[in-house]
Amino acid sequence: MIPHILLEEIGVAYERVLVNTGEQANRDPAYLRLNPNGHVPVLTDTDSDTVLYETAAIALYLCDAHPHSALAPVLGTTERAQFYKWMMWLTNTLQAALIIYFYAHRWMDAGNDAGVAELKRNAEERIDSMLSQLDAEVARTGGPWFMGAEYTALDAYAFTLCRWTRNFDRTTPARDRSFLGPYLLRMLARTSVQRVLANEGLSSPYI
């Protein structure tokens, strides 16, 4: 979803290719040549013969390949440094914890239901504090976007990861936080986000 939102913001033509992980299409030899880890997404830029995996890398590439879109602060500025920090935090800290929450069984022996439940509970507690940190950052910058007045690639990232919390019940989901809630509604109203939700065939609740 993150690269798709950015591509919609940039306004360039792109093709979406379904990788049906339910049918193990991500383990097909042809796909593994693109990403040996078998993960989604992969970006292939035929104009430059570039093949990239890892969502953050794709996002940064799109920012730099399309500077006119102003999806990242100017190179060498303090704002750019903060942009890098939050990009890495979103992918290495919040997203990593969310992956553990949703796929706790991957870290446990088969049949260890108690271990899975414990790991999910601990991950959710950590995610709770991370969402509080995000909420505080949106409050600090004053919005309307994550870094303040200017929309950046961080917004696609934050929106998507916050969306993953929509069905939380033990922890307050992002949409019910004081500053993240209104922020997510602003994101939801963007044309790029609406197009991606429609393209993906997603239904409410979106956040």
Side-chain angles (χ1 to χ4, degrees), residues 1-3 5 55 94-95 98 154-166 183-184 187 193 196 206-207:
M1 179 176 284
I2 295 163
I5 292 173
T55 301
L94 178 57
Q95 187 173 1
L98 285 163
L154 294 179
D155 291 296
Y157 230 113
F159 172 82
T160 300
L161 296 185
C162 284
R163 183 178 179 277
W164 291 4
T165 72
R166 65 192 182 281
Y183 163 74
L184 293 174
M187 281 295 299
V193 173
V196 170
Y206 299 114
I207 57 174

Side-chain angles (χ1 to χ4, degrees), residues 134-204:
L134 273 185
D135 195 60
E137 182 63 13
V138 174
R140 186 191 70 79
T141 64
W145 310 116
F146 188 79
M147 292 194 76
E150 302 299 326
Y151 182 96
T152 71
L154 294 179
D155 291 296
Y157 230 113
F159 172 82
T160 300
L161 296 185
C162 284
R163 183 178 179 277
W164 291 4
T165 72
R166 65 192 182 281
N167 293 320
F168 278 13
D169 51 12
R170 294 180 60 255
T171 294
T172 303
R175 67 170 179 271
D176 292 334
R177 310 268 170 158
S178 298
F179 296 92
L180 279 176
Y183 163 74
L184 293 174
L185 289 175
R186 291 192 292 273
M187 281 295 299
L188 192 59
R190 288 187 76 90
T191 301
S192 61
V193 173
Q194 287 296 315
R195 285 177 178 164
V196 170
L197 292 172
N199 288 342
E200 299 287 344
L202 301 176
S203 58
S204 182

Side-chain angles (χ1 to χ4, degrees), residues 71-90:
L71 288 172
V74 176
L75 281 168
T77 62
T78 299
E79 290 78 13
R80 184 73 172 215
Q82 293 298 318
F83 172 84
Y84 286 143
K85 179 192 76 175
W86 282 108
M87 179 71 73
M88 298 310 112
W89 185 89
L90 286 165

Side-chain angles (χ1 to χ4, degrees), residues 60-130:
L60 291 172
Y61 173 75
L62 291 174
C63 291
D64 292 341
H66 303 278
H68 66 279
S69 63
L71 288 172
V74 176
L75 281 168
T77 62
T78 299
E79 290 78 13
R80 184 73 172 215
Q82 293 298 318
F83 172 84
Y84 286 143
K85 179 192 76 175
W86 282 108
M87 179 71 73
M88 298 310 112
W89 185 89
L90 286 165
T91 189
N92 291 337
T93 303
L94 178 57
Q95 187 173 1
L98 285 163
I99 292 294
I100 291 173
Y101 172 83
F102 285 110
Y103 301 102
H105 59 280
R106 295 179 179 175
W107 278 265
M108 292 291 158
D109 292 336
N112 187 0
D113 295 341
V116 170
E118 180 181 8
L119 186 56
K120 284 178 67 75
R121 184 176 65 253
N122 289 333
E124 190 170 357
E125 288 177 1
R126 294 195 177 197
I127 292 166
D128 180 64
S129 66
M130 294 171 195

